[in-house]
């Protein structure tokens, strides 16, 4: 096989592998995309709406009141959803009350 062709194929292979590594690192530590399943976050988030999940910002600080967060579903009694989308409505020490079906 032509050495020039082999060299070019090797360069392409290195570029593709490097690009895949960069994508995997970004996906694991910086952000990823997901879609909303269910109506629990309406009207803020609608069914099948795309979410841009920023993982990096919480490396710099903790979630705050009213932030929308992604939680790993650890309940064995609910649907087989791996992650849940929820809003922080209280912080440690706060009192939560529901009156007339309103938080």
């Amino acid at each position: 096989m032509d050495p020039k062709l082999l060299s070019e194929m090797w360069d392409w292979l290195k570029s593709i592998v490097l690009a895949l590594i960069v994508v995997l690192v970004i996906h694991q530590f910086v952000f990823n995309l997901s879609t909303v399943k269910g109506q629990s976050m309406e009207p803020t988030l609608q069914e099948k709406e795309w979410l841009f999940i920023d993982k990096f910002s919480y490396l710099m600080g903790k979630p705050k009141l009213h932030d929308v967060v992604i939680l790993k579903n650890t309940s064995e009694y609910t649907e087989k959803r791996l992650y849940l989308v929820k809003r922080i409505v209280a912080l440690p020490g706060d009192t939560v009350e529901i009156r007339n079906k309103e938080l």
Side-chain angles (χ1 to χ4, degrees), residues 1-10:
M1 199 174 224
D2 182 21
K4 187 176 179 181
L5 180 61
L6 278 175
S7 175
E8 188 171 334
M9 287 174 62
W10 178 244

Side-chain angles (χ1 to χ4, degrees), residues 34-87:
S34 184
T35 56
V36 176
K37 294 178 184 171
Q39 294 88 22
S40 69
M41 285 295 295
E42 286 184 357
T44 304
L45 299 172
Q46 305 294 320
E47 176 92 23
K48 297 181 183 176
E49 188 172 18
W50 281 94
L51 295 175
F52 177 85
I53 302 168
D54 174 17
K55 298 177 180 183
F56 188 74
S57 63
Y58 291 123
L59 294 174
M60 303 299 169
K62 295 181 179 181
K64 298 177 212 60
L65 193 62
H66 305 298
D67 281 358
V68 175
V69 295
I70 309 294
L71 306 169
K72 190 164 192 162
N73 187 1
T74 58
S75 173
E76 55 190 62
Y77 302 109
T78 60
E79 299 174 26
K80 297 205 176 203
R81 292 187 184 148
L82 295 176
Y83 296 96
L84 303 171
V85 179
K86 299 297 174 194
R87 179 179 306 281

